[in-house]
Structure formats: structure tokens, C-alpha cells
Amino acid sequence: MAVWEVFAMRHFQPNRRPAARQEADDLPGFGKPPCRELPTEDPDGFREAVVGWFDAVGRPYPWRETTDPYAILVSELMLQQTRVETVLERGYFERWMRRFPGVGELADAPDEEILKLWEGLGYYRRARHLREAARAVVSRHGGLFPRDPAEIRALPGVGDYTAGAILAFAFDRAAPMIDGNVARVLARLFDFNGSIEGPAGRRQLAEWSGRLTDPRRARRFQSGLMEIGQRLCKVRRPQCPDCPVAGFCAARAPEHLPVKRERARIEEVAEHVGYFRGEGDRVFLCVESGPRRSGLWRLPPVSAEEHGDAEPLLRFAYSITRYRVWLHVHAMPASALPRGEGRWVSRAELESVALGSPYRRALRSLVADAGFNGR
Ligand code: SF4
């Protein structure tokens, strides 16, 4: 019998269920175990259920094997907007920590190198924030990561959530800590029907998080709650029968929670870029100047006048925020080479330059299809 099932037997006693929540339990075809009490009515029991489950089945992520606050900061910034699987399977965290094992190494790192290590994760501002935070630790704290909550919160790129994560995972200190997974779990546990994105909803979540955080085992409690959100309390298909906190959960229709603002509609846009080939194995690249991928290399943009009516060599779509971008890659003569910053890059060099993901994908496809000089 799994350890958390022993917990369930000890803690989930149906006869302790309040009558007021009977109605929720009687909904047909729901599959969710009955709610016996809210987490705030038995915070110790709730913490025990979360920590017990985590101790039994929590995943051994590499950032959980350390209490180094710098490593925790790296993992937290990587995991903002990026799935755990992507960071793990493609080795981003290990590569970064091998190259920049401490704030001293990162503080001196050149732009090109940090962007290359971040390539494919997107939202490149995060990589620069990390370096700015490393520089601040060096200049303000003599290279020693601060322990004071206000000093941690004052580091570049560190918001309330990241500060809470550093306090919990590095120093085992209790602080409110709400990411998307925890927000979803809390909204469902309390059957919260207000928007979690407005100020009132955010305040309410912070209040619950602050009251429930385990003061003695903050690291394991916060890890457990996040992992319940990630693995069981899923957005569309919550796995309620397997959930260790089902006995504390008042949600009647969890798949409809949390309530969020209506998402902006996806907009389709077209992007046209040029594939300029030079002598030998070389392709012309220029520097991205937009806010999202600033500093990365890219295929140069071309206007409708420049590319004319000719069929593009390649066309595919990629997503960025609320846009679905159709990228058109046109074969362009050297005479139409754009003015401004750029450079010829050989085939051998291509893998080592920091390149925006859509352009990397386009170049890999062109190289594979036709050989670098083939067309
Ligand atoms: S999976 Fe989510 S909705 Fe289902 S019982 Fe657990 S906390 Fe509640």
C-alpha cells in the first residue's frame, strides 16, 4: 500500500464530512471523493496530507536536490512560462549550472553566451534578469545570496512568487507562494468562483496560501502543493480520485475552475524573411531588435516589394503569446542584402550562434532539404 494511501486511511474519514457540503458530493458521475472539511478548518491535517504525499511520490527534480538559493533562482526563472518537461528533457538547467555554477561566473557572462544557453526557452528577458540578479548579489551583498525577504524581493527579476520560492526551497521558510498550479488547486479546494486574476482574487489566494503554508516544513509543503497541481489537479481533467487532498476539497465542478478573464483571441499574422546565401557555406543573419528576442540572431525581414510574388522556399506557423505567426522564408539575391547590422555565418558556425527558434527551425529544414548551398 502506498504511503499516501496510509495517510488517506488515517485522515479521510467520511463520517467527519460536514452536512453543508453533502450536496457537492452527491453530484452524479463526478468521481470526486467527498469533502469532509476545508483546509483552513484543519490546517495541520491538510499539511500532513500534502507533505505525506510529497514524501512518498514527489519527483526528484535536480533543483530539489539543492538548497543553493542561486540554483533555485535559476530553476524558477527557467520554469516561468516553460514546462518542467522541456527544462528537464533538454538539459537546460544542468547546462546552465555547469557553465555558471555561481553568481560570480554569471555576473561576468557576455550576452551572446547567456542567450545561446537560453535558446529555445523563449522570453529571453529572463536570462538577462538572471544575470542582473547575479550582478546585484555581487555588488550589493558581496557575492553572498541574501536571506532577508525584502533584500531577495529587491533583486532584478524577482517578484513575490519567486521570492517566496527562494525562501521556501533554499531556506525552508514559510511565505505565500502562488504560481499557476497552486492558484488552480487553491481555487478548487475552496470552490472559489471569483476571478483569480483580479486584485480581490489575488488577495484571497495570498491569504489562503499564507495561512496554509507549513511553518515547520515549508520546502516539502510548497513542493507538494505545486506538484499536486502539476500532476493531479490538471486544468481539464483533474484526477480527483487519486488526490491526497480530496477530503479537503469543496470543488463541485473542478474542471470549470479557476475563473479567469476571457482570453484574447488568437490572431494570425504573416512574417516574411529572406534566405540570403553567400560564397561557401554561408547565410546572412541580422540581429533581432524586438523586445522578445532582443540580441538574438535571425533571418532578415523582407518587405512585400522585395520578395515579390515568388513562392516562398518554406512556410510554417509558430505561436507567440496570442499570435499565430506564418513565417515565409524567401530565397533572396545577394543584391537585395539588407543594410544595417548583420553578418555572414558559415554552416559550421550556425549551431553555435544564438538564434531565435523559428529561424533555427527554418535553417535546419533548408539545410536538410537541399544542402546549405543547394538551391
Ligand atoms: S485534484 Fe484538484 S479538484 Fe480534484 S480533489 Fe484534488 S484539489 Fe480538488
Side-chain angles (χ1 to χ4, degrees):
M1 179 182 288
V3 175
W4 85 263
E5 287 175 294
V6 177
F7 270 93
M9 283 181 63
R10 273 198 212 132
H11 294 287
F12 304 167
Q13 299 163 24
N15 59 1
R16 291 173 64 198
R17 176 178 44 156
R21 281 187 278 283
Q22 184 83 37
E23 177 204 341
D25 307 333
D26 293 340
L27 291 176
F30 190 63
K32 183 176 154 298
C35 173
R36 59 180 173 82
E37 56 199 341
L38 290 173
T40 40
E41 292 166 346
D42 179 12
D44 284 338
F46 178 74
R47 291 166 187 150
E48 196 61 28
V50 173
V51 173
W53 178 83
F54 177 71
D55 285 351
V57 299
R59 287 181 172 154
Y61 299 138
W63 45 87
R64 285 187 177 156
E65 323 247 297
T66 176
T67 54
D68 172 5
Y70 161 69
I72 306 292
L73 174 64
V74 172
S75 68
E76 287 301 329
L77 288 198
M78 277 189 179
L79 291 166
Q80 282 174 13
Q81 323 276 349
T82 308
R83 292 165 61 240
V84 171
E85 291 75 16
T86 306
V87 172
L88 279 180
E89 284 160 19
R90 302 198 202 152
Y92 282 106
F93 180 73
E94 286 84 354
R95 256 197 316 278
W96 185 279
M97 293 305 294
R98 256 199 316 277
R99 174 60 191 91
F100 305 123
V103 289
E105 291 84 358
L106 178 57
D108 294 334
D111 229 35
E112 176 85 16
E113 201 175 355
I114 62 168
L115 292 177
K116 179 64 193 161
L117 278 175
W118 206 267
E119 188 186 300
L121 283 173
Y123 298 94
Y124 291 87
R125 239 176 318 181
R126 293 179 293 169
R128 292 198 172 100
H129 276 149
L130 257 181
R131 185 178 53 191
E132 284 166 36
R135 286 177 177 167
V137 172
V138 170
S139 64
R140 292 179 206 162
H141 306 286
L144 273 184
F145 211 97
R147 297 178 73 97
D148 176 73
E151 289 177 344
I152 295 174
R153 180 68 180 79
L155 294 173
V158 174
D160 289 337
Y161 165 77
T162 308
I166 292 169
L167 286 167
F169 301 145
F171 304 122
D172 211 10
R173 287 176 60 184
M177 191 183 143
I178 302 156
D179 70 347
N181 284 321
V182 172
R184 185 168 61 256
V185 175
L186 288 174
R188 288 173 175 176
L189 286 169
F190 290 93
D191 202 19
F192 182 62
N193 286 296
S195 164
I196 60 161
E197 291 172 327
R202 286 207 300 269
R203 259 197 314 277
Q204 179 61 81
L205 293 180
E207 199 244 322
W208 283 326
S209 173
R211 279 171 71 185
L212 295 175
T213 302
D214 194 323
R216 292 175 300 116
R217 304 169 293 185
R219 181 184 298 130
R220 285 147 71 205
F221 174 81
Q222 297 291 21
S223 300
L225 201 57
M226 288 170 81
E227 199 163 328
I228 288 171
Q230 184 198 338
R231 288 170 58 187
L232 300 174
C233 198
K234 296 181 179 185
V235 177
R236 287 195 188 83
R237 299 183 62 83
Q239 316 283 305
C240 302
D242 297 328
C243 178
V245 291
F248 295 94
C249 182
R252 285 164 294 183
E255 64 277 26
H256 297 308
L257 293 176
V259 175
K260 291 185 175 176
R261 275 193 294 263
E262 208 178 307
R263 292 277 161 252
R265 278 225 195 94
I266 300 291
E267 209 177 305
E268 303 230 351
V269 293
E271 176 184 359
H272 295 267
V273 296
Y275 178 51
F276 296 88
R277 295 186 328 260
E279 282 173 25
D281 273 359
R282 296 193 309 159
V283 62
F284 191 82
L285 301 178
C286 66
V287 180
E288 183 85 58
S289 58
R292 290 195 181 280
R293 304 191 198 106
S294 165
L296 267 77
W297 293 92
R298 57 165 294 161
L299 289 169
V302 290
S303 65
E305 243 171 42
E306 288 167 321
H307 65 71
D309 295 333
E311 277 294 301
L313 288 174
L314 192 64
R315 178 178 180 272
F316 63 84
Y318 67 91
S319 297
I320 186 157
T321 61
R322 65 184 187 85
Y323 297 101
R324 184 167 164 78
V325 183
W326 283 98
L327 182 73
H328 301 68
V329 185
H330 301 272
M332 297 295 292
S335 57
L337 205 59
R339 262 170 290 184
E341 231 181 292
R343 72 186 241 217
W344 289 101
V345 177
S346 71
R347 181 177 184 170
E349 279 177 294
L350 257 189
E351 287 300 322
S352 65
V353 298
L355 200 57
S357 298
Y359 315 113
R360 167 88 55 213
R361 179 176 162 191
L363 282 167
R364 281 196 176 139
S365 170
L366 290 168
V367 169
D369 282 357
F372 207 68
N373 282 323
R375 289 175 194 269

